[in-house]
Amino acid sequence: MEWVERLNQSIVYIEEHLTSEIDYERLGQIACCSAYHYQRMFSYMAGVTLGEYIRRRRMSLAAVDLQGSHEKVIDIAEKYGYSSPTAFNRAFQSIHGIAPSAVKGQGVAVKSFPAIAFTIAVKGVEEMNYRIETKDAFRIIGISAPLHKEIEQNFTVVPQMWQKAAMNGTIQKLASIMDSPPRGLLGVSACNDDEQWKYFIAVSSTKSHSEFEEYTVPPSTWAIFPGSGTNHSIQELEQRIVTEWLPTSGYEYANAPDIEVYLNPDPQNAQYEVWIPVRKKQQ
């Protein structure tokens, strides 16, 4: 399957660059998507973030290099891209549970994380409801926060944004100026390769408000998936979209934001839609 082949080609690229810089945008190009969408696909497919996978692979090889070697730890640290011995020691111990210097002795147990290979197991146990809609550009207004290009570093940013917005009255203010579709509280990941990545908590509106930032969502075709439940259930739906629907859908990611539309934002009884920007798969 072409989609899976692209992901496996990206793994080849990672393996070839474990001792040099790994360009996330290049990984996206290999998989025919943005660096952001690549990282999301990777984490859902592999069950581990891209950054953690790369650390595991580098530390696996570093352990082999250290075993019975006369090389200095600092030289091996530099080989795998660590200019600071402290950072290398921290990364190594997080994977192996021991200091790099301890591996030079015989009989020391270390861990090995082989290179992964992606396959698709078609489950089809539960149906997935969705619709395809092409929409013109629309304006949103709200608050934003910059996102790091390595998405695992953002895991605390978004929840903290929502918590703060709920406590300081921002969500109520946004709801009062919402006047155009999609009618709901929006979580927008604007993360294309051409601009600073940002996450917005916003609404679609034609109004202006000095307190809030404007952003125009570009015209795109969207695969829209309805759901309900808790905030955890929306993550499960997004994982199913990537691992079950996308590989066999005939579509692939397009260069537009991911959007979560909260029709009822109650965190324990949410009604929501997940909007995935898509295009027909290139032949």
Side-chain angles (χ1 to χ4, degrees):
M1 188 177 296
E2 183 181 354
W3 191 81
V4 178
E5 290 174 358
R6 292 175 185 167
L7 287 175
N8 285 324
Q9 288 169 6
S10 73
I11 297 299
V12 172
Y13 171 86
I14 291 172
E15 289 297 304
E16 292 174 344
H17 292 80
L18 287 173
T19 57
S20 59
E21 182 180 358
I22 294 176
D23 185 343
Y24 284 17
E25 289 188 12
R26 178 58 186 148
L27 288 170
Q29 290 168 3
I30 294 170
C32 296
C33 62
S34 69
Y36 172 78
H37 285 132
Y38 177 85
Q39 290 181 75
R40 283 173 63 85
M41 282 196 300
F42 186 97
S43 62
Y44 285 140
M45 294 286 290
V48 63
T49 65
L50 176 61
E52 178 62 18
Y53 172 76
I54 291 171
R55 275 191 293 277
R56 290 179 181 183
R57 287 295 299 136
R58 282 175 167 160
M59 293 306 100
S60 292
L61 297 180
V64 174
D65 290 348
L66 285 164
Q67 290 170 331
S69 171
H70 296 295
E71 286 188 81
K72 295 180 180 179
V73 171
I74 190 172
D75 293 334
I76 293 177
E78 290 180 356
K79 177 180 179 180
Y80 291 101
Y82 290 84
S83 56
S84 164
T86 301
F88 178 71
N89 283 333
R90 185 165 54 246
F92 194 92
Q93 290 196 54
S94 71
I95 300 299
H96 298 288
I98 57 175
S101 56
V103 180
K104 287 180 171 290
Q106 294 186 0
V108 178
V110 293
K111 297 177 182 177
S112 175
F113 293 93
I116 64 174
F118 290 107
T119 60
I120 289 295
V122 180
K123 299 177 183 178
V125 176
E126 298 180 28
E127 65 181 18
M128 295 189 72
N129 297 317
Y130 74 96
R131 64 187 188 273
I132 300 293
E133 292 190 8
T134 298
K135 295 185 177 294
D136 295 332
F138 60 93
R139 175 181 177 271
I140 65 172
I141 184 169
I143 59 173
S144 74
L147 296 178
H148 195 277
K149 287 296 182 82
E150 189 171 330
I151 62 173
E152 66 182 303
Q153 297 189 34
N154 302 316
F155 287 165
T156 60
V157 173
V158 173
Q160 288 175 356
M161 276 187 69
W162 281 100
Q163 183 178 26
K164 185 177 179 180
M167 293 179 65
N168 65 15
T170 296
I171 288 178
Q172 290 81 356
K173 290 179 183 178
L174 288 172
S176 70
I177 59 175
M178 176 176 58
D179 65 1
S180 52
R183 293 186 178 274
L185 196 60
L186 310 177
V188 180
S189 299
C191 301
N192 67 53
D193 291 339
D194 302 323
E195 60 188 10
Q196 165 68 51
W197 289 7
K198 287 185 177 182
Y199 182 83
F200 289 86
I201 297 175
V203 293
S204 181
S205 177
T206 60
K207 300 176 182 178
S208 296
H209 197 295
S210 59
E211 187 177 342
F212 298 128
E213 179 180 353
E214 298 179 13
Y215 177 79
T216 300
V217 176
S220 187
T221 297
W222 311 87
I224 301 175
F225 297 80
S228 62
T230 65
N231 288 340
H232 183 67
S233 67
I234 196 170
Q235 296 172 359
E236 293 175 345
L237 175 57
E238 289 171 348
Q239 182 173 20
R240 289 192 64 206
I241 292 169
V242 171
T243 60
E244 297 179 31
W245 180 80
L246 191 60
T248 57
S249 67
Y251 290 90
E252 60 190 8
Y253 274 117
N255 191 25
D258 283 7
I259 302 176
E260 296 169 351
V261 181
Y262 292 94
L263 307 171
N264 170 21
D266 181 349
Q268 297 305 315
N269 186 30
Q271 302 290 323
Y272 52 79
E273 292 179 339
V274 174
W275 291 29
I276 303 296
V278 295
R279 63 189 178 194
K280 281 291 185 70
K281 189 173 294 184
Q282 300 175 358
Q283 298 298 323

